[in-house]
Amino acid sequence: MLGAQFHILFSLLDGEKHGYAIMKAVQEDTRGRLKLGPATLYTNLKKMLAQGLIAETEKEEQSERRRYYQLSDQGRTLVEDELQQLEATLNLARQRRITGA
């Protein structure tokens, strides 16, 4: 099973998002199988910021400051590498006729 950090990084592939938008994207991307609560989300965002996988930006929206997150080059490389590995694993499963997908 893929972890929360992968899904957060994956959700940022198409551009920066604020926390709530990340939570919604992860829920949609996983068809509801993974629902990130605020504690899980912000704990992981903090870790990924410290690891240099994402960067934080700020935007003013209707007199409210929101923190937005975007992939760093390192984060993009990591998620793209993981996607390639998943594709290779799926291809191997098909070759072995483990899955019909």
Side-chain angles (χ1 to χ4, degrees):
M1 182 176 293
L2 297 174
Q5 286 191 2
F6 171 81
H7 287 289
I8 292 168
L9 293 173
F10 184 80
S11 77
L12 295 172
L13 276 172
D14 60 355
E16 67 181 6
K17 292 179 178 64
H18 55 79
Y20 183 73
I22 293 170
M23 285 193 301
K24 287 305 211 184
V26 168
Q27 187 173 349
E28 288 175 18
D29 291 345
T30 64
R31 296 183 208 148
R33 291 187 188 118
L34 179 61
K35 295 179 183 177
L36 299 177
T40 300
L41 174 68
Y42 290 103
T43 297
N44 279 290
L45 288 173
K46 184 177 178 180
K47 287 178 187 176
M48 290 187 289
L49 283 165
Q51 294 168 339
L53 300 175
I54 60 174
E56 185 177 323
T57 61
E58 290 187 15
K59 289 187 179 180
E60 292 283 337
E61 290 186 4
Q62 298 176 346
S63 74
E64 187 177 315
R65 247 161 85 173
R66 278 200 155 158
R67 291 181 178 156
Y68 279 71
Y69 302 91
Q70 62 188 16
L71 285 176
S72 66
D73 291 340
Q74 180 183 353
R76 181 172 297 280
T77 298
L78 181 69
V79 74
E80 288 173 352
D81 288 350
E82 186 66 22
L83 287 170
Q84 288 177 353
Q85 182 60 44
L86 288 169
E87 184 176 28
T89 302
L90 181 58
N91 287 335
L92 183 58
R94 286 179 180 141
Q95 289 172 4
R96 294 181 181 176
R97 293 191 167 104
I98 295 170
T99 180

